[in-house]
């Protein structure tokens, strides 16, 4: 250091220079420049070395050491640009169009060729670099030997060397970086991708072998041990066993490329390239393993594959990179001192292992995230397929626990719902079933129901706008025969039955608390996720340890359990009124189940209705057993006498039934007579109670007998009355027939269609635009019209609106709400437009008597939507207007 | 079969109640068999609709009962006023001296059966 200070700082030295010494300096400098040029000229000629050293010594003597260094480095840089970098890049000129390719574009590329070109180029530039490093070392030696001569003792050779070598390395990197063409990273990516795919094919075979268990000659125990460890962290131990000799060539090959790239300063570019290739491969593997199969779990096989392929590769690579370092440092004096970067940045014995664990975590996280995204994108289909798809749900749950990206699920699923389910084309039933499946599926992931709340809200909102929602809910809950029943239960089970069974199972398992340990953990994890206040309001969220209550979430759609029970009562009434026997076991069961969930008192009316049927059965047999033989009645009606045996009746406590729609009807004489006798006997037995027949209600089983066959029907009394009129008279005008059975002509014309459609009555036009109905003696098309002995034809139930015998809840509500209609219309005239809430609150405020307004918001909404469909109101952007 | 006065009904009808119904309507042009299940409602044969004591409908039941009808019968006084049996019994039992009809204040006497 002393020399340099004097030479730089003491300009007096210049004055002291003699002409001789100037001459010497000039000669030495010239010689130095020439020899430097010779050495670095690219011819690979080291013969000028001795001369070069002499010139260096001479210049150093004159204190021009730094000039020597600087000049040499400058020439070296030019030489590297010329002989190294530009030659290197020229190799890749043919691929310059790669720069615009996307990473995973499939292009027709000669993979072998790229590989070859890259290896050649790297080899060439490495050779050049090695040569230049040799030249650099000659300089180092020259400088060193000069110092040694001067001081007569050995100096630390290392410092000088490190300084120059690192200068050189910097020079190499900056030259390359400055001239880096855009397509080079793409080429690297392609290279690693291709090689890794090759490797994965080889290793993948091993993996498959492993998976299909003990096939080769390996010791059974040994193999078992290895196999068991796949899932654990003992990766090193696992790989020490493994036989990658076949792949080691490939790994070495890749390792060599990585090393070469590192020595050119492309360390992070190389790592990026193989990392992205690995991730790409992993992504493809996840997609491949997961696919659209939701009925098996794939997480474990993905993890096993990560262990078997990429980690094995990385292990081998890290070992190779580590090994090559130690190998070179002991065997070669001229090795690149920059290679051991890995050991520089991660000192310690177990570095590869630590690095590998980091890789394992990275890869697994990536795999979890990829699988999670894949499943979230298909969540709608997965839920449609639930519970068969529960393995996919379990995978998703594990992924989310790892990534914590629950909000992603919420957002994505809500938009899928909006797009796929909550559309005019979807039936209310489908929406409800998807809703229930969603609850069932997501409560596995989210036992606390935190984000289920958020996901369910748009479905509930949407369903509230549909008129048939309540009816569909009640059907789904109580009717197991409605076909699309829940998949997890027995096919004939209602949802209520299923929920009840689940509860019993839970109780029998002795789970005193709603969480098993797994669920508890899941809940803890889920609660770590901080939901937005929008997704679950804090009040609901703070209800600790709540469980997802399916029934509660269903009732939540309607708003109140009373409305649900009320709707059920109407449906039950309809069902009971259409029974021709007294078999109500199923209904009793359903009411029992409803009582469990909704409380005994809210189902009291339903119980009375059921009790009416039980009583009716008893009363019915009592009446028929004690009635006097119909002595005089048979005289009245002559041949048309029928026996009391053929009559049965359901007797209602009408105060407890929903409003019943009875229409006037003249029953056939004999039947009417029998009903009179029946009623008379009833009041004898039950005095002072009496019966009032609801003649248009009930069920009639009919058998029509023709010469060659008989046809059976189950029909409403009005149909029976019509057809029985044809016993005495083949042909009727509609006016006469309507008068005979006591209904308006238009009602008759509608009802008689049933018989016309069966081919039993024909319609023709008579005088005065009156229809004439005639009994067909020969069936027109018996085959088409069916009615064989085996299957009685039914015409009952609610498939035709006019066939209903019970006023629907909607009709009942409309009746009760009509009082307020004028008031609402008046308000809207004054205010122009009003939101639902405001109408509701105003009614509450002003309608305090005659009758007081006591309806729920949902009921009001349903009434208003009725007014909208009657075109009295308009509904836009949440506001109601008068229809203009 | 048209010639014979009686038609034997097919199994479907016979099985319906486990009884063989031979009854049938024979007409000139159409033969048919029926089983008629009718619907009726019952009501108390009373002048009023509601019980003067509990103000509940007679066809319903008194506040203490769950089932109407036989389980919660009506009873008439000699004054011809009717009440739920349970209601008037409670009333009568609550009176220290002779009970009177809550409607007409006449001395309460149960109307004898016929
Ligand atoms: Zn009473
Ligand atoms: Zn009572
Ligand atoms: Zn009285």
């Amino acid at each position: 250091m002393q020399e340099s200070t004097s030479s730089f700082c003491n300009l007096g030295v210049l004055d002291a220079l003699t002409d001789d010494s100037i001459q010497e300096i000039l000669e030495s400098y010239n010689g130095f420049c020439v020899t430097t040029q010779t050495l670095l000229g690219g011819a690979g000629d080291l013969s000028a070395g001795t001369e070069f050293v002499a010139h260096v010594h001479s210049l150093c003597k004159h204190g021009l050491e730094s000039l020597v260094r600087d000049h040499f480095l400058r020439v070296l840089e030019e030489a590297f640009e010329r002989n190294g970098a530009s030659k290197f890049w020229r190799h890749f000129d043919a691929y310059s169009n790669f720069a615009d390719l996307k990473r995973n574009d499939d292009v027709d590329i000669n993979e072998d060729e790229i590989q070859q070109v890259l290896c050649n180029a790297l080899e060439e530039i490495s050779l050049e670099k090695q040569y230049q490093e040799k030249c650099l070392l000659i300089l180092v030696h020259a400088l060193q030997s000069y110092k040694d001569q001067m001081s007569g003792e050995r100096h630390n050779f290392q410092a000088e060397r490190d300084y120059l070598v690192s200068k050189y390395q910097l020079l190499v990197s900056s030259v390359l970086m400055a001239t880096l063409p855009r397509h080079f990273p793409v080429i690297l990516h392609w290279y690693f991708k291709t090689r890794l795919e090759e490797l994965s094919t080889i290793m993948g075979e091993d993996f498959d072998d492993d998976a299909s268990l003990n096939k080769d000659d390996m010791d059974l125990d040994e193999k078992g041990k290895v196999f068991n460890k796949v899932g654990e962290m003992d990766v090193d131990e696992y790989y020490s066993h493994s036989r990658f000799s076949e792949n080691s060539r490939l790994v070495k090959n890749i390792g060599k490329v990585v090393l070469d790239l590192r020595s050119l300063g492309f360390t992070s570019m190389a790592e990026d390239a193989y990392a992205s290739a690995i991730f790409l491969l992993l992504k493809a593997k996840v997609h491949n393993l997961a696919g659209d199969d939701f009925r098996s779990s794939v997480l474990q096989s993905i993890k096993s594959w990560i262990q078997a392929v990429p980690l094995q590769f990385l292990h081998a690579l890290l070992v190779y990179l580590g090994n090559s370092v130690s190998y070179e440092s002991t065997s070669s004096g001229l090795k690149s001192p920059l290679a051991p970067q890995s050991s520089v940045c991660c000192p310690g014995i177990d570095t590869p292992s630590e690095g590998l664990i980091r890789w394992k975590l990275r890869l697994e996280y990536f795999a979890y995230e990829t699988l999670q995204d894949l499943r979230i994108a298909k969540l709608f289909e997965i839920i449609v397929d639930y519970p068969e798809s529960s393995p996919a749900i379990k995978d998703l749950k594990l992924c989310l626990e790892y990534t914590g990206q629950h909000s992603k699920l919420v957002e994505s699923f809500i938009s899928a719902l909006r797009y796929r389910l909550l559309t005019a084309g979807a039936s209310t039933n489908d929406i409800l079933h998807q809703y229930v499946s969603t609850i069932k599926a997501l409560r596995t992931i989210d036992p606390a129901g935190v984000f289920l709340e958020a996901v369910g809200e748009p479905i509930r909102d949407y369903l509230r706008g549909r008129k048939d929602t309540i009816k569909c809910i009640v059907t789904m809950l109580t009717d197991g025969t409605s076909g699309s029943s829940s998949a997890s239960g027995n096919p004939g089970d209602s949802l209520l039955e299923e929920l009840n069974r689940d509860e019993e199972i839970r109780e029998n398992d002795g789970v005193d608390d709603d969480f098993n340990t797994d669920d508890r953990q899941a809940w803890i994890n889920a609660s770590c996720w901080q939901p937005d206040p929008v997704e679950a309001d804090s009040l609901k969220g703070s209800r600790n340890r709540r469980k997802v209550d399916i029934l509660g979430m269903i009732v939540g759609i309607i708003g109140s359990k009373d409305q649900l029970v009320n709707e059920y009562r109407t449906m039950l009434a309809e069902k009971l009124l259409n029974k021709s026997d007294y078999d109500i076991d199923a209904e009793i069961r359903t009411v029992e189940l409803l009582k469990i969930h909704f409380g005994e008192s809210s189902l009291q009316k339903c119980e009375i209705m059921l009790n009416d049927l039980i009583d009716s059965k008893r009363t019915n047999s009592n009446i028929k057993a004690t009635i006097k033989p119909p002595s005089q009645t048979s005289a009245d009606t002559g041949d048309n006498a029928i026996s009391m045996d053929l009559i049965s009746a359901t007797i209602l406590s009408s105060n407890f039934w929903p409003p019943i729609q009875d229409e006037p009807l003249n029953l056939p004489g004999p039947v009417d007579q029998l009903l009179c006798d029946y009623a008379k006997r009833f009041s004898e037995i039950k005095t002072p109670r009496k019966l009032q027949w609801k003649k248009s209600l009930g069920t009639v089983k009919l058998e029509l007998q023709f010469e060659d066959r008989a046809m059976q029907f189950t029909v409403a009394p009005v149909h029976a009355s019509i057809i029985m009129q044809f016993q005495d008279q083949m042909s009727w005008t509609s006016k006469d027939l309507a008068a005979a059975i006591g209904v308006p002509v238009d009602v008759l014309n509608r009802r008689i269609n049933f018989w016309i459609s069966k081919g039993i009555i024909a319609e023709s036009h008579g005088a005065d635009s009156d229809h004439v109905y005639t009994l067909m003696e020969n069936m027109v098309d018996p085959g088409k019209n069916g009615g064989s002995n085996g299957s009685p034809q039914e015409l009952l139930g609610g498939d035709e609106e006019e066939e209903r015998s019970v006023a629907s809840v909607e009709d009942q509500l409309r009746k009760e709400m009509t009082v307020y209609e004028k008031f609402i219309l008046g308000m809207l005239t004054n205010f122009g437009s009003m939101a639902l809430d405001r109408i509701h609150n105003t009614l509450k405020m002003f309608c305090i008597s005659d009758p007081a307004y006591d309806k729920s918001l949902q009921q009001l909404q349903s009434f208003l939507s009725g007014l909208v469909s009657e075109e009295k109101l308009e509904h836009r952007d949440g506001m109601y207007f008068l229809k203009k | 079969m048209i010639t014979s006065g009686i038609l034997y009904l097919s199994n479907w009808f016979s099985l319906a109640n486990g009884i063989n119904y031979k009854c049938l309507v024979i007409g000139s042009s159409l033969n048919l068999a029926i089983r008629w299940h009718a619907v009726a409602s019952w009501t108390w044969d009373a002048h009023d609709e509601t019980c003067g004591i509990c103000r509940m409908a007679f066809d319903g039941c008194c506040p203490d009962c769950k089932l109407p009808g036989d389980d919660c019968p009506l009873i008439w006084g000699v004054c011809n006023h009717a009440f739920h049996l349970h209601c008037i019994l409670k009333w009568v039992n609550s009176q220290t001296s002779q009970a009177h009809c809550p409607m007409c204040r006449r001395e309460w006497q149960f109307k004898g059966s016929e």
Side-chain angles (χ1 to χ4, degrees):
Chain A
M1 281 293 115
Q2 241 180 344
E3 299 92 330
S4 55
T5 22
S6 59
S7 62
F8 280 123
C9 304
N10 187 358
L11 292 174
V13 170
L14 289 175
D15 299 335
L17 286 176
T18 64
D19 288 350
D20 283 352
S21 44
I22 289 172
Q23 191 59 39
E24 195 186 321
I25 289 171
L26 284 177
E27 277 170 19
S28 302
Y29 184 68
N30 269 340
F32 168 69
C33 289
V34 170
T35 45
T36 303
Q37 205 57 53
T38 318
L39 284 173
L40 299 176
D45 182 9
L46 290 173
S47 59
T50 343
E51 203 186 329
F52 171 79
V53 171
H55 291 305
V56 170
H57 282 185
S58 162
L59 288 170
C60 286
K61 206 160 61 196
H62 292 285
L64 296 172
E65 200 184 320
S66 61
L67 177 71
V68 167
R69 276 201 210 98
D70 292 349
H71 179 77
F72 188 84
L73 285 173
R74 200 170 58 243
V75 175
L76 195 56
E77 182 171 346
E78 285 162 10
F80 184 75
E81 272 175 15
R82 196 172 55 244
N83 300 332
S86 58
K87 267 192 191 169
F88 182 68
W89 297 134
R90 224 170 290 137
H91 284 280
F92 307 106
D93 282 352
Y95 305 102
S96 53
N97 58 330
F98 270 35
D100 301 321
L101 294 180
K102 294 253 167 55
R103 291 227 137 167
N104 39 8
D105 269 357
D106 259 336
V107 249
D108 193 21
I109 290 170
N110 187 336
E111 287 160 359
D112 289 344
E113 191 189 288
I114 291 193
Q115 207 169 296
Q116 203 54 51
V117 167
L118 180 65
C119 291
N120 287 345
L122 282 173
E123 190 155 338
E124 192 188 282
I125 197 171
S126 299
L127 278 177
E128 181 62 30
K129 192 171 164 253
Q130 271 171 27
Y131 173 76
Q132 291 186 345
E133 279 168 349
K134 265 184 210 165
C135 299
L136 192 67
L137 283 174
I138 291 173
L139 176 69
V140 169
H141 279 288
L143 292 172
Q144 202 60 45
S145 57
Y146 169 75
K147 277 189 215 160
D148 290 349
Q149 276 170 25
M150 294 309 287
S151 60
E153 58 185 76
R154 283 196 72 81
H155 279 73
N156 185 8
F157 170 79
Q158 197 66 35
E160 181 71 45
R161 184 185 127 157
D162 284 355
Y163 171 72
L164 280 174
V165 159
S166 69
K167 270 275 193 201
Y168 175 65
Q169 190 58 43
L170 198 62
L171 171 165
V172 165
S173 311
S174 51
V175 167
L176 285 171
M177 285 302 182
T179 52
L180 178 80
R182 276 165 67 224
H183 54 268
F184 187 62
V186 185
I187 290 171
L188 282 188
H189 174 79
W190 262 99
Y191 167 77
F192 285 113
K193 182 171 175 278
T194 325
R195 303 257 77 180
L196 271 164
E197 275 165 4
E198 205 176 316
L199 197 67
S200 120
T201 319
I202 300 172
M203 289 173 164
E205 279 159 13
D206 289 349
F207 166 68
D208 290 342
D209 284 352
D210 271 359
S212 60
L213 280 174
N214 320 327
K215 261 199 229 152
D216 46 30
D217 47 7
M218 209 174 172
D219 176 18
L220 258 169
D221 282 344
E222 180 85 334
K223 177 129 193 172
K225 206 158 64 192
V226 169
F227 195 72
N228 281 339
K229 283 191 172 137
V230 171
E232 296 161 18
M233 281 302 286
D234 289 329
V235 273
D236 282 338
E237 207 178 319
Y238 174 56
Y239 293 116
S240 63
H241 287 280
S242 64
R243 53 263 105 114
F244 51 76
S245 58
E246 325 138 38
N247 336 325
S248 61
R249 182 194 54 82
L250 201 53
V251 174
K252 254 182 213 155
N253 209 321
I254 300 172
K256 173 92 169 42
V257 170
V258 174
L259 274 184
D260 285 346
L261 287 168
R262 279 182 173 185
S263 86
L264 295 177
F266 289 139
T267 311
S268 63
M269 195 187 295
E271 184 157 325
D272 285 353
Y274 70 75
S276 78
I278 287 173
F279 284 120
L280 207 63
L281 197 64
L282 176 57
K283 189 172 181 179
K285 189 70 192 177
V286 171
H287 280 248
N288 181 285
L289 281 173
D292 280 345
D293 173 20
F294 310 132
R295 303 190 173 194
S296 48
S297 168
V298 290
L299 208 48
Q300 197 49 51
S301 21
I302 290 172
K303 279 162 94 177
S304 306
W305 184 83
I306 290 175
Q307 295 276 3
V309 181
L311 280 181
Q312 196 176 349
F313 160 72
L314 286 164
H315 176 80
L317 183 68
L318 293 179
V319 166
Y320 174 80
L321 295 178
N323 281 349
S324 65
V325 169
S326 51
Y327 170 75
E328 281 188 10
S329 61
T330 52
S331 69
S332 155
L334 285 177
K335 70 143 206 151
S336 158
L338 292 133
Q341 269 200 344
S342 66
S343 68
V344 169
C345 73
C346 337
I349 314 147
D350 283 329
T351 27
S353 184
E354 252 179 54
L356 202 60
I357 286 165
R358 264 204 311 276
W359 265 106
K360 182 183 150 79
L361 293 175
R362 271 177 79 186
L363 289 172
E364 285 188 354
Y365 187 89
F366 181 80
Y368 279 116
E369 203 179 21
T370 309
L371 182 64
Q372 162 213 297
D373 289 351
L374 208 58
R375 292 309 190 214
I376 284 179
K378 292 278 182 185
L379 190 56
F380 190 85
E381 285 87 348
I382 292 176
I383 285 175
V384 168
D385 199 25
Y386 193 82
E388 276 76 13
S389 61
S390 48
I393 291 284
K394 276 193 194 109
D395 278 357
L396 180 56
K397 173 190 165 142
L398 291 172
C399 291
L400 287 171
E401 276 166 20
Y402 210 85
T403 64
Q405 298 174 345
H406 296 78
S407 55
K408 229 184 198 176
L409 179 147
V410 173
E411 280 160 31
S412 152
F413 189 60
I414 286 180
S415 80
L417 285 174
R418 292 231 156 90
Y419 185 68
R420 311 262 318 260
L421 185 67
L422 306 180
T423 62
S427 79
T428 306
N429 253 328
D430 289 347
I431 297 174
L432 274 171
H433 277 101
Q434 182 76 351
Y435 179 65
V436 172
S437 292
T438 302
I439 298 171
K440 286 185 195 161
L442 291 191
R443 72 179 165 170
T444 327
I445 297 176
D446 170 31
V450 178
F451 52 91
L452 196 48
E453 201 71 44
V455 168
E457 194 51 38
I459 309 184
R460 287 193 292 273
D461 264 352
Y462 186 83
L463 284 172
R464 279 179 203 130
R466 287 223 176 175
K467 285 177 115 190
D468 57 344
T469 297
I470 297 188
K471 185 176 284 180
C472 290
I473 286 174
V474 174
T475 309
M476 180 172 71
L477 278 174
T478 59
D479 191 352
T481 59
S482 64
S484 50
S485 82
S486 57
S488 73
N490 303 326
D493 266 6
S494 65
L495 181 59
L496 212 52
E497 195 77 59
E498 184 196 323
L499 294 179
N500 193 61
R501 199 181 41 243
D502 286 355
E503 219 151 87
E504 274 169 11
I505 290 170
R506 212 174 283 179
E507 273 164 24
N508 292 345
D509 285 353
V511 184
D512 51 350
D513 144 40
D514 296 317
F515 293 86
N516 60 36
T517 33
D518 278 355
D519 280 353
R520 192 189 302 277
Q521 189 54 45
W523 188 82
I524 288 166
N525 290 336
S527 57
C528 292
W529 171 70
Q530 294 287 313
D532 288 351
V534 195
E535 281 163 345
D537 70 54
S538 52
L539 247 174
K540 288 172 184 166
S542 66
R543 262 194 279 153
N544 262 10
R545 287 161 135 256
R546 67 200 185 129
K547 65 170 173 170
V548 173
D549 167 21
I550 295 186
L551 194 64
M553 294 197 72
I554 292 170
V555 174
I557 300 172
I558 305 174
S560 81
K561 64 171 188 180
D562 291 347
Q563 269 174 276
L564 192 145
V565 168
N566 203 22
E567 184 70 37
Y568 173 71
R569 191 164 70 99
T570 304
M571 286 169 63
L572 177 67
E574 185 74 40
K575 237 186 225 174
L576 295 180
L577 288 177
N578 286 328
K579 279 190 188 296
S580 55
D581 50 24
Y582 302 97
D583 177 16
I584 52 167
D585 291 351
E587 286 76 14
I588 290 175
R589 171 74 182 153
T590 303
V591 168
E592 285 304 314
L593 288 175
L594 286 169
K595 269 158 72 180
I596 295 172
H597 293 285
F598 297 119
E600 203 143 327
S601 60
S602 55
L603 283 141
Q604 205 201 333
K605 285 181 176 175
C606 292
E607 279 210 272
I608 291 172
M609 286 157 64
L610 291 177
N611 198 62
D612 278 351
L613 264 91
I614 296 168
D615 267 358
S616 298
K617 185 179 183 179
R618 204 182 306 130
T619 309
N620 187 60
S621 47
N622 194 2
I623 286 175
K624 290 206 290 204
T626 58
I627 202 161
K628 286 169 214 110
S631 48
Q632 77 271 39
T633 53
S634 62
D636 289 349
T637 53
D639 283 343
N640 285 354
I642 54 173
S643 150
M644 185 58 99
D645 288 340
L646 292 179
I647 301 289
S648 56
T650 296
I651 300 158
L652 318 177
S653 305
S654 57
N655 269 38
F656 300 87
W657 289 65
I660 295 200
Q661 293 174 333
D662 185 29
E663 283 150 21
L665 177 69
N666 294 343
L667 298 183
V671 175
D672 205 42
Q673 186 57 53
L674 282 169
L675 291 186
C676 271
D677 295 346
Y678 194 102
K680 208 170 133 210
R681 185 71 197 130
F682 178 89
S683 45
E684 282 164 19
I685 294 173
K686 299 276 186 183
T687 188
R689 285 159 72 186
K690 58 183 184 187
L691 277 192
Q692 287 167 345
W693 291 108
K694 300 191 178 298
K695 293 187 177 175
S696 71
L697 302 186
T699 306
V700 183
K701 289 190 173 184
L702 273 173
E703 184 170 282
L704 302 189
Q705 305 183 343
F706 299 92
E707 288 192 37
D708 50 345
R709 64 221 184 83
M711 291 175 82
Q712 290 151 356
F713 300 93
T714 302
V715 296
V718 64
H719 298 113
S721 299
I722 291 170
I723 199 68
M724 284 172 80
Q725 293 297 335
F726 288 87
Q727 284 177 285
D728 305 315
Q729 189 177 327
M730 283 286 286
S731 194
W732 288 83
T733 67
S734 52
K735 219 182 272 171
D736 292 347
L737 189 52
I741 62 172
V743 300
V745 176
D746 60 317
V747 173
L748 171 80
N749 289 342
R750 206 165 62 233
R751 302 298 192 172
I752 204 169
N753 271 328
F754 173 75
W755 295 119
I756 296 172
S757 75
K758 301 293 174 200
I760 286 160
I761 283 172
E763 180 183 16
S764 55
H765 291 277
D768 308 332
S769 74
D770 206 1
H771 297 264
V772 174
Y773 297 112
T774 312
L775 184 72
M776 304 288 289
E777 277 187 290
N778 298 305
M779 300 282 293
V780 187
D781 187 3
K784 185 184 148 202
N785 293 306
S788 60
N789 285 336
S791 55
Q793 306 196 8
E794 305 265 339
L795 184 79
L796 282 170
D799 49 358
E800 276 178 58
E801 200 58 36
E802 65 253 12
E803 295 293 337
R804 298 180 54 97
S805 29
V806 183
S808 69
V809 170
E810 221 172 87
D811 292 341
Q812 296 168 39
L813 177 70
R814 196 171 305 139
K815 217 178 236 169
E816 292 168 16
M817 289 289 292
T818 315
V819 196
Y820 310 110
E821 184 179 327
K822 263 208 183 110
F823 198 86
I824 294 170
L825 296 180
M827 279 196 294
L828 288 173
T829 314
N830 282 330
F831 295 116
S833 69
M834 289 174 91
L836 180 66
D837 281 358
R838 192 159 162 226
I839 299 177
H840 184 64
N841 292 332
T842 315
L843 285 173
K844 266 202 300 205
M845 213 181 300
F846 293 107
C847 299
I848 39 176
S849 64
D850 282 339
Y853 176 75
D854 58 350
K855 303 292 178 269
S856 73
L857 200 64
Q858 276 84 16
Q859 287 174 317
L860 176 65
Q861 187 177 26
S862 135
F863 176 69
L864 291 178
S865 64
L867 291 181
V868 170
S869 62
E870 287 169 31
E871 305 214 313
K872 287 180 179 161
L873 295 185
E874 259 184 280
H875 187 218
R876 254 181 290 123
D877 310 322
M879 304 295 275
Y880 290 90
F881 303 83
L882 285 180
K883 179 90 178 176
K884 296 204 173 96
Chain B
M1 74 176 149
I2 290 174
T3 49
S4 94
I6 289 179
L7 275 162
Y8 294 93
L9 300 185
S10 66
N11 286 342
W12 183 60
F13 275 85
S14 316
L15 288 175
N17 250 1
I19 309 164
N20 271 318
Y21 299 117
K22 57 181 196 291
C23 167
L24 177 63
V25 184
I26 307 295
S28 55
S29 51
L30 176 65
N31 294 327
L32 54 74
I34 55 165
R35 279 181 46 72
W36 198 291
H37 188 91
V39 173
S41 62
W42 62 262
T43 177
W44 289 105
D45 203 359
H47 296 297
D48 295 322
E49 296 213 325
T50 51
C51 167
I53 296 174
C54 70
R55 298 281 160 202
M56 304 295 268
F58 281 140
D59 294 344
C61 50
C62 80
D64 295 333
C65 285
K66 288 210 161 152
L67 296 175
D70 291 339
D71 291 349
C72 186
L74 297 200
I75 195 80
W76 277 258
V78 287
C79 61
N80 264 335
H81 282 118
F83 302 97
H84 289 120
L85 172 64
H86 302 136
C87 291
I88 194 68
L89 283 179
K90 246 204 261 178
W91 168 260
V92 168
N93 291 337
S94 71
Q95 305 294 301
T96 43
S97 55
Q98 169 64 47
H100 296 270
C101 168
M103 305 299 286
C104 64
R105 294 274 135 209
R106 275 199 267 164
E107 211 168 84
W108 178 263
Q109 300 258 306
F110 288 103
K111 196 176 184 179
S113 47
E114 307 311 301

